[in-house]
Amino acid sequence: MEYDLDSGAHSMYSLHYHLILTTKYRRGVLTEERTQFIHQVISGFTDNYGVELTNLDGEDDHVHILFRAKPTTDLVKFINTVKGATARRIRNEYADELKTELWGDSFWNDSYCLISTGQVSLDVLKQYVEDQRE
């Protein structure tokens, strides 16, 4: 099995995450256009956090964001930036359309779900050892 490992000065890693955000009150306000808009907003600042956005999809009341990160990435800060920046931008862009579904400054639910999608296995360790021999 082949793994796609990232490397730092003294490390090798593969950190993949699955972030799920739900809209406030689980309102069905996410269209395909708005989901693409969210993707563009997030893509604008991922480099600042050492993050690579690998996929973003969802339904009308939530999004799934798949990304890779560095060991030094402050995940809580990144998630708070994602939620804040996307909420602000989408509310500005679609203010008239959203005012009947969402009120106040809220767009996302206060909570989120973050799942690590990678796992350490013997194959990863073997690959690491082989890479160190080269």
Side-chain angles (χ1 to χ4, degrees), residues 18-30 38 57-65 79 82-83 86-87 90 102 106-114:
H18 179 177
L19 174 64
I20 304 167
L21 301 177
T22 58
T23 58
K24 191 75 168 181
Y25 316 113
R26 295 296 297 246
R27 303 282 186 184
V29 296
L30 293 173
I38 290 168
D57 202 0
E59 295 185 22
D60 64 348
D61 64 349
H62 68 278
V63 292
H64 297 267
I65 303 166
I79 292 167
V82 165
K83 290 176 73 176
T86 56
I90 205 162
L102 298 168
S106 296
F107 184 80
W108 299 113
N109 190 342
D110 290 340
S111 62
Y112 60 85
C113 177
L114 180 65

Short mmCIF file of all heavy atoms in Angstrom, two decimals, residues 18-30 38 57-65 79 82-83 86-87 90 102 106-114:
data_model
loop_
_atom_site.label_atom_id
_atom_site.label_comp_id
_atom_site.label_asym_id
_atom_site.label_seq_id
_atom_site.Cartn_x
_atom_site.Cartn_y
_atom_site.Cartn_z
N HIS A 18 -11.63 15.71 8.61
CA HIS A 18 -12.98 15.86 8.07
C HIS A 18 -13.71 16.78 9.04
O HIS A 18 -13.95 16.42 10.18
CB HIS A 18 -13.63 14.49 8.00
CG HIS A 18 -15.02 14.48 7.48
ND1 HIS A 18 -15.73 13.32 7.31
CD2 HIS A 18 -15.86 15.48 7.09
CE1 HIS A 18 -16.94 13.60 6.85
NE2 HIS A 18 -17.03 14.91 6.71
N LEU A 19 -14.04 17.97 8.57
CA LEU A 19 -14.75 18.98 9.37
C LEU A 19 -16.18 19.07 8.88
O LEU A 19 -16.41 19.21 7.68
CB LEU A 19 -14.05 20.33 9.24
CG LEU A 19 -14.73 21.53 9.89
CD1 LEU A 19 -14.79 21.36 11.41
CD2 LEU A 19 -13.98 22.81 9.52
N ILE A 20 -17.13 19.01 9.80
CA ILE A 20 -18.55 19.14 9.45
C ILE A 20 -19.10 20.35 10.17
O ILE A 20 -18.99 20.46 11.39
CB ILE A 20 -19.34 17.88 9.85
CG1 ILE A 20 -18.73 16.64 9.21
CG2 ILE A 20 -20.81 18.03 9.43
CD1 ILE A 20 -19.24 15.33 9.79
N LEU A 21 -19.67 21.27 9.39
CA LEU A 21 -20.31 22.46 9.94
C LEU A 21 -21.78 22.43 9.57
O LEU A 21 -22.13 22.14 8.42
CB LEU A 21 -19.68 23.73 9.36
CG LEU A 21 -18.19 23.93 9.60
CD1 LEU A 21 -17.71 25.19 8.89
CD2 LEU A 21 -17.89 24.00 11.08
N THR A 22 -22.64 22.75 10.52
CA THR A 22 -24.08 22.82 10.25
C THR A 22 -24.54 24.26 10.34
O THR A 22 -24.01 25.06 11.11
CB THR A 22 -24.88 21.96 11.26
OG1 THR A 22 -24.62 22.41 12.58
CG2 THR A 22 -24.54 20.50 11.12
N THR A 23 -25.54 24.58 9.55
CA THR A 23 -26.08 25.93 9.58
C THR A 23 -26.89 26.14 10.86
O THR A 23 -27.36 25.19 11.48
CB THR A 23 -26.99 26.20 8.37
OG1 THR A 23 -28.04 25.24 8.36
CG2 THR A 23 -26.20 26.14 7.07
N LYS A 24 -27.02 27.38 11.26
CA LYS A 24 -27.79 27.72 12.45
C LYS A 24 -29.22 27.21 12.28
O LYS A 24 -29.82 27.39 11.23
CB LYS A 24 -27.77 29.24 12.65
CG LYS A 24 -28.29 29.70 13.98
CD LYS A 24 -27.29 29.42 15.06
CE LYS A 24 -27.67 30.14 16.33
NZ LYS A 24 -26.71 29.91 17.39
N TYR A 25 -29.74 26.60 13.31
CA TYR A 25 -31.09 26.04 13.33
C TYR A 25 -31.28 24.94 12.27
O TYR A 25 -32.40 24.60 11.95
CB TYR A 25 -32.16 27.12 13.15
CG TYR A 25 -31.93 28.35 13.94
CD1 TYR A 25 -31.64 29.55 13.31
CD2 TYR A 25 -31.98 28.33 15.33
CE1 TYR A 25 -31.40 30.70 14.04
CE2 TYR A 25 -31.73 29.48 16.06
CZ TYR A 25 -31.45 30.67 15.42
OH TYR A 25 -31.20 31.80 16.14
N ARG A 26 -30.18 24.46 11.72
CA ARG A 26 -30.20 23.46 10.63
C ARG A 26 -31.08 23.92 9.46
O ARG A 26 -31.73 23.13 8.78
CB ARG A 26 -30.67 22.08 11.13
CG ARG A 26 -29.77 21.39 12.13
CD ARG A 26 -28.39 21.02 11.61
NE ARG A 26 -28.35 20.08 10.54
CZ ARG A 26 -27.82 18.86 10.61
NH1 ARG A 26 -27.30 18.44 11.73
NH2 ARG A 26 -27.81 18.08 9.56
N ARG A 27 -31.08 25.22 9.22
CA ARG A 27 -31.84 25.77 8.10
C ARG A 27 -31.22 25.33 6.78
O ARG A 27 -30.01 25.32 6.62
CB ARG A 27 -31.86 27.30 8.14
CG ARG A 27 -32.41 27.88 9.39
CD ARG A 27 -33.90 27.84 9.39
NE ARG A 27 -34.35 28.55 10.59
CZ ARG A 27 -35.58 28.66 10.96
NH1 ARG A 27 -36.52 28.10 10.25
NH2 ARG A 27 -35.90 29.31 12.05
N GLY A 28 -32.06 24.98 5.84
CA GLY A 28 -31.61 24.53 4.53
C GLY A 28 -31.30 25.69 3.60
O GLY A 28 -32.02 25.89 2.62
N VAL A 29 -30.24 26.44 3.90
CA VAL A 29 -29.91 27.64 3.12
C VAL A 29 -28.71 27.46 2.19
O VAL A 29 -28.36 28.38 1.47
CB VAL A 29 -29.65 28.84 4.07
CG1 VAL A 29 -30.91 29.20 4.84
CG2 VAL A 29 -28.50 28.57 5.01
N LEU A 30 -28.11 26.29 2.22
CA LEU A 30 -26.93 26.07 1.38
C LEU A 30 -27.34 25.50 0.03
O LEU A 30 -27.84 24.39 -0.07
CB LEU A 30 -25.95 25.13 2.07
CG LEU A 30 -25.27 25.68 3.31
CD1 LEU A 30 -24.45 24.61 3.99
CD2 LEU A 30 -24.42 26.88 2.97
N ILE A 38 -18.46 29.26 -0.49
CA ILE A 38 -17.75 28.91 0.75
C ILE A 38 -16.39 28.29 0.42
O ILE A 38 -15.38 28.62 1.05
CB ILE A 38 -18.62 27.97 1.62
CG1 ILE A 38 -19.81 28.74 2.18
CG2 ILE A 38 -17.80 27.31 2.72
CD1 ILE A 38 -20.88 27.86 2.80
N ASP A 57 -18.02 19.61 0.19
CA ASP A 57 -19.32 19.22 -0.35
C ASP A 57 -20.32 19.27 0.79
O ASP A 57 -19.94 19.44 1.94
CB ASP A 57 -19.24 17.82 -0.95
CG ASP A 57 -20.32 17.54 -1.96
OD1 ASP A 57 -21.16 18.43 -2.21
OD2 ASP A 57 -20.35 16.43 -2.51
N GLY A 58 -21.55 19.08 0.48
CA GLY A 58 -22.54 19.06 1.55
C GLY A 58 -23.95 18.99 1.04
O GLY A 58 -24.19 18.66 -0.12
N GLU A 59 -24.85 19.30 1.94
CA GLU A 59 -26.27 19.34 1.61
C GLU A 59 -26.80 20.71 1.99
O GLU A 59 -26.03 21.61 2.29
CB GLU A 59 -26.99 18.20 2.34
CG GLU A 59 -26.52 16.85 1.84
CD GLU A 59 -27.29 15.69 2.44
OE1 GLU A 59 -28.44 15.90 2.91
OE2 GLU A 59 -26.75 14.59 2.46
N ASP A 60 -28.10 20.87 2.02
CA ASP A 60 -28.65 22.21 2.24
C ASP A 60 -28.48 22.75 3.65
O ASP A 60 -28.59 23.94 3.88
CB ASP A 60 -30.13 22.27 1.82
CG ASP A 60 -31.02 21.38 2.67
OD1 ASP A 60 -30.50 20.55 3.44
OD2 ASP A 60 -32.25 21.51 2.55
N ASP A 61 -28.15 21.89 4.62
CA ASP A 61 -28.00 22.36 6.00
C ASP A 61 -26.64 22.06 6.62
O ASP A 61 -26.44 22.30 7.81
CB ASP A 61 -29.11 21.79 6.88
CG ASP A 61 -29.05 20.28 7.01
OD1 ASP A 61 -28.28 19.63 6.28
OD2 ASP A 61 -29.78 19.74 7.86
N HIS A 62 -25.69 21.54 5.86
CA HIS A 62 -24.36 21.29 6.40
C HIS A 62 -23.35 21.13 5.27
O HIS A 62 -23.71 20.88 4.13
CB HIS A 62 -24.35 20.05 7.30
CG HIS A 62 -24.58 18.77 6.57
ND1 HIS A 62 -25.82 18.31 6.23
CD2 HIS A 62 -23.69 17.84 6.10
CE1 HIS A 62 -25.71 17.16 5.60
NE2 HIS A 62 -24.42 16.85 5.50
N VAL A 63 -22.07 21.30 5.63
CA VAL A 63 -20.98 21.07 4.69
C VAL A 63 -19.97 20.11 5.30
O VAL A 63 -19.80 20.05 6.51
CB VAL A 63 -20.24 22.37 4.27
CG1 VAL A 63 -21.13 23.26 3.43
CG2 VAL A 63 -19.68 23.10 5.44
N HIS A 64 -19.32 19.36 4.41
CA HIS A 64 -18.22 18.48 4.77
C HIS A 64 -16.97 19.08 4.15
O HIS A 64 -16.93 19.30 2.93
CB HIS A 64 -18.42 17.07 4.19
CG HIS A 64 -19.62 16.38 4.74
ND1 HIS A 64 -19.56 15.55 5.82
CD2 HIS A 64 -20.92 16.40 4.34
CE1 HIS A 64 -20.77 15.07 6.07
NE2 HIS A 64 -21.62 15.58 5.19
N ILE A 65 -15.98 19.35 4.97
CA ILE A 65 -14.74 19.95 4.50
C ILE A 65 -13.62 18.96 4.81
O ILE A 65 -13.37 18.63 5.97
CB ILE A 65 -14.47 21.29 5.20
CG1 ILE A 65 -15.65 22.25 4.99
CG2 ILE A 65 -13.16 21.89 4.72
CD1 ILE A 65 -15.63 23.46 5.88
N ILE A 79 -10.39 26.51 12.34
CA ILE A 79 -11.84 26.28 12.29
C ILE A 79 -12.59 27.56 12.62
O ILE A 79 -13.58 27.90 11.96
CB ILE A 79 -12.24 25.12 13.23
CG1 ILE A 79 -11.68 23.81 12.70
CG2 ILE A 79 -13.75 25.04 13.39
CD1 ILE A 79 -11.73 22.65 13.68
N VAL A 82 -12.44 29.70 9.59
CA VAL A 82 -13.35 29.17 8.57
C VAL A 82 -14.78 29.61 8.88
O VAL A 82 -15.48 30.15 8.02
CB VAL A 82 -13.28 27.62 8.49
CG1 VAL A 82 -14.46 27.06 7.71
CG2 VAL A 82 -11.98 27.19 7.86
N LYS A 83 -15.21 29.40 10.10
CA LYS A 83 -16.58 29.73 10.46
C LYS A 83 -16.84 31.24 10.38
O LYS A 83 -17.85 31.67 9.82
CB LYS A 83 -16.90 29.21 11.87
CG LYS A 83 -17.00 27.69 11.92
CD LYS A 83 -17.22 27.17 13.32
CE LYS A 83 -18.63 27.46 13.77
NZ LYS A 83 -18.94 26.92 15.08
N THR A 86 -16.35 32.65 6.51
CA THR A 86 -17.41 32.21 5.60
C THR A 86 -18.76 32.79 6.00
O THR A 86 -19.54 33.18 5.14
CB THR A 86 -17.50 30.67 5.54
OG1 THR A 86 -17.68 30.14 6.85
CG2 THR A 86 -16.27 30.07 4.90
N ALA A 87 -19.03 32.86 7.30
CA ALA A 87 -20.30 33.44 7.75
C ALA A 87 -20.42 34.90 7.34
O ALA A 87 -21.45 35.33 6.81
CB ALA A 87 -20.43 33.31 9.27
N ILE A 90 -20.64 35.16 3.34
CA ILE A 90 -21.88 34.64 2.75
C ILE A 90 -23.07 35.52 3.16
O ILE A 90 -23.98 35.75 2.39
CB ILE A 90 -22.10 33.15 3.08
CG1 ILE A 90 -23.01 32.53 2.00
CG2 ILE A 90 -22.69 32.95 4.46
CD1 ILE A 90 -22.94 31.02 1.96
N LEU A 102 -32.39 33.23 8.38
CA LEU A 102 -31.46 33.43 9.49
C LEU A 102 -31.48 34.89 9.91
O LEU A 102 -31.53 35.77 9.07
CB LEU A 102 -30.04 33.04 9.07
CG LEU A 102 -29.82 31.59 8.67
CD1 LEU A 102 -28.47 31.42 8.01
CD2 LEU A 102 -29.94 30.68 9.88
N SER A 106 -25.69 35.33 13.01
CA SER A 106 -25.37 33.90 12.97
C SER A 106 -25.54 33.32 11.57
O SER A 106 -26.44 33.70 10.84
CB SER A 106 -26.26 33.12 13.93
OG SER A 106 -26.02 33.52 15.24
N PHE A 107 -24.65 32.40 11.24
CA PHE A 107 -24.82 31.60 10.04
C PHE A 107 -24.61 30.13 10.38
O PHE A 107 -25.39 29.28 10.01
CB PHE A 107 -23.86 32.02 8.92
CG PHE A 107 -24.11 31.25 7.65
CD1 PHE A 107 -25.15 31.60 6.81
CD2 PHE A 107 -23.33 30.15 7.32
CE1 PHE A 107 -25.40 30.87 5.65
CE2 PHE A 107 -23.58 29.41 6.18
CZ PHE A 107 -24.62 29.78 5.34
N TRP A 108 -23.51 29.83 11.08
CA TRP A 108 -23.19 28.46 11.47
C TRP A 108 -23.67 28.18 12.90
O TRP A 108 -23.71 29.07 13.73
CB TRP A 108 -21.69 28.21 11.43
CG TRP A 108 -21.07 28.37 10.08
CD1 TRP A 108 -20.18 29.34 9.71
CD2 TRP A 108 -21.28 27.55 8.92
NE1 TRP A 108 -19.82 29.16 8.40
CE2 TRP A 108 -20.48 28.08 7.89
CE3 TRP A 108 -22.06 26.43 8.66
CZ2 TRP A 108 -20.43 27.51 6.62
CZ3 TRP A 108 -22.01 25.87 7.40
CH2 TRP A 108 -21.21 26.41 6.40
N ASN A 109 -23.95 26.93 13.16
CA ASN A 109 -24.22 26.46 14.51
C ASN A 109 -22.95 26.69 15.33
O ASN A 109 -21.84 26.71 14.79
CB ASN A 109 -24.56 24.96 14.42
CG ASN A 109 -25.09 24.40 15.70
OD1 ASN A 109 -24.93 24.97 16.77
ND2 ASN A 109 -25.72 23.25 15.60
N ASP A 110 -23.09 26.87 16.64
CA ASP A 110 -21.92 27.13 17.49
C ASP A 110 -20.96 25.94 17.52
O ASP A 110 -19.76 26.12 17.68
CB ASP A 110 -22.35 27.44 18.92
CG ASP A 110 -23.03 28.80 19.02
OD1 ASP A 110 -22.85 29.64 18.11
OD2 ASP A 110 -23.77 29.01 20.00
N SER A 111 -21.46 24.74 17.37
CA SER A 111 -20.61 23.55 17.47
C SER A 111 -20.11 23.12 16.10
O SER A 111 -20.54 23.63 15.07
CB SER A 111 -21.39 22.41 18.13
OG SER A 111 -22.49 22.07 17.34
N TYR A 112 -19.18 22.17 16.11
CA TYR A 112 -18.67 21.58 14.88
C TYR A 112 -18.23 20.16 15.18
O TYR A 112 -18.09 19.76 16.34
CB TYR A 112 -17.51 22.39 14.29
CG TYR A 112 -16.31 22.53 15.18
CD1 TYR A 112 -15.32 21.56 15.22
CD2 TYR A 112 -16.16 23.64 16.01
CE1 TYR A 112 -14.22 21.69 16.04
CE2 TYR A 112 -15.07 23.78 16.83
CZ TYR A 112 -14.10 22.81 16.85
OH TYR A 112 -13.01 22.93 17.67
N CYS A 113 -17.98 19.40 14.14
CA CYS A 113 -17.47 18.04 14.27
C CYS A 113 -16.17 17.95 13.49
O CYS A 113 -16.14 18.29 12.31
CB CYS A 113 -18.50 17.03 13.73
SG CYS A 113 -17.93 15.32 13.77
N LEU A 114 -15.10 17.53 14.16
CA LEU A 114 -13.80 17.36 13.51
C LEU A 114 -13.36 15.92 13.74
O LEU A 114 -13.28 15.47 14.87
CB LEU A 114 -12.77 18.33 14.08
CG LEU A 114 -11.37 18.24 13.46
CD1 LEU A 114 -11.40 18.64 11.98
CD2 LEU A 114 -10.41 19.11 14.23
#
